[in-house]
Amino acid sequence: MLAEMGVRVWAPRTQAPALSSAAMPVAPPAAAASVAAPAPVARPAATHPPAPEPAPQAAQASPVATLDWPALREAVASCQACGLCQGRTRTVFGVGDEQADWMVVGEAPGENEDLQGEPFVGAAGQLLDNMLKAVGRSRTGTGAQGAFIANVLKCRPPANRNPQPDEVARCEPYLARQVALVKPKVIVAMGRFAVQALLKTNEPIGRLRGQVHHYEGVPVIVTYHPAYLLRTPTDKGKAWADLCLAMAQLPN
């Protein structure tokens, strides 16, 4: 009908018949594909002996541990290891015979100690002097008649408050070095904080009295602080028994 109307008709060329699958050329199989390739086998990593772990470093010794008496005094006088240095008047190093066989360790300086730079002064110091005198000792004596007296802390805590753990930890190397230099045959620990610093225990003094403890191989006798005895004079008899126990530790 379109041709009769004068419209040129276009028709697609005849397509070549589709090749059957049988007639389609097949590529020759690859030689490698003729045999199934084995699955890759994971090879164990080369074994090497484990590198030795570095040996734990030994705790670095405090530089204080090598100081002699003059250097130790200077180190204490210039110490700024904790905030107590900001409010002190003077450091309180210690007093007495530096080769005594008897060493007394207190807690921390009070107001009078801070002003004078000497441990155990005032009423508590007078009581301590009387206690030492009763066992034939004094802070000014030497040899068998002497004693070395020191505190755990070398600076006064504000308003005589209790020492804080970090303050004790920072000041402890000074006390440890004093013990090492004095080489006492017995240590009398007076007061809770002296006991805690030396024996590393929170047990109350009442439970630790009457026993022989040790610090770096040195016998330690626990007793009450003279300031406590001034407030509780009924316990002076117990303190006397502690001093007798300390005397018993000395060689005849």
Side-chain angles (χ1 to χ4, degrees):
M1 294 177 60
L2 292 175
E4 293 178 356
M5 294 174 58
V7 177
R8 186 178 179 181
V9 179
W10 174 88
R13 295 180 180 178
T14 305
Q15 297 179 350
L19 296 175
S20 65
S21 59
M24 293 179 62
V26 178
S34 61
V35 179
V41 178
R43 295 185 178 182
T47 58
H48 300 282
E53 297 183 0
Q57 295 182 353
Q60 295 183 354
S62 168
V64 176
T66 61
L67 301 181
D68 57 12
W69 280 114
L72 185 60
R73 288 180 181 275
E74 178 60 28
V76 170
S78 60
C79 180
Q80 296 183 351
C82 71
L84 294 182
C85 65
Q86 300 175 3
R88 72 189 179 207
T89 302
R90 299 179 63 181
T91 56
V92 181
F93 180 79
V95 67
D97 182 8
E98 296 175 351
Q99 296 180 333
D101 56 8
W102 182 293
M103 186 168 179
V104 175
V105 177
E107 298 181 324
E111 182 179 6
N112 293 326
E113 288 84 356
D114 177 67
L115 293 174
Q116 300 183 35
E118 184 174 330
F120 285 96
V121 298
Q126 294 175 6
L127 178 55
L128 174 61
D129 289 340
N130 291 334
M131 295 169 68
L132 292 175
K133 184 178 180 180
V135 292
R137 308 268 163 175
S138 73
R139 68 177 70 203
T140 58
T142 59
Q145 286 75 43
F148 187 84
I149 305 171
N151 284 321
V152 173
L153 293 190
K154 311 306 183 187
C155 297
R156 177 198 179 195
N160 293 351
R161 64 160 170 76
N162 289 335
Q164 296 178 355
D166 64 315
E167 296 166 349
V168 173
R170 293 178 183 274
C171 218
E172 188 176 353
Y174 297 128
L175 176 63
R177 186 55 181 162
Q178 287 176 317
V179 174
L181 289 173
V182 174
K183 297 181 177 64
K185 295 181 174 62
V186 66
I187 298 174
V188 180
M190 293 186 159
R192 174 163 59 102
F193 295 101
V195 172
Q196 290 177 356
L198 292 171
L199 302 184
K200 307 302 181 186
T201 179
N202 291 321
E203 287 289 325
I205 290 179
R207 294 183 181 178
L208 298 174
R209 287 186 54 257
Q211 308 172 49
V212 179
H213 309 274
H214 289 85
Y215 173 81
E216 299 294 334
V218 181
V220 176
I221 305 301
V222 173
T223 192
Y224 299 107
H225 195 280
Y228 167 84
L229 296 175
L230 291 174
R231 300 190 303 268
T232 316
T234 54
D235 282 342
K236 287 184 177 180
K238 297 178 182 178
W240 170 246
D242 297 333
L243 296 181
C244 293
L245 179 59
M247 289 292 295
Q249 307 311 307
L250 299 176
N252 295 328

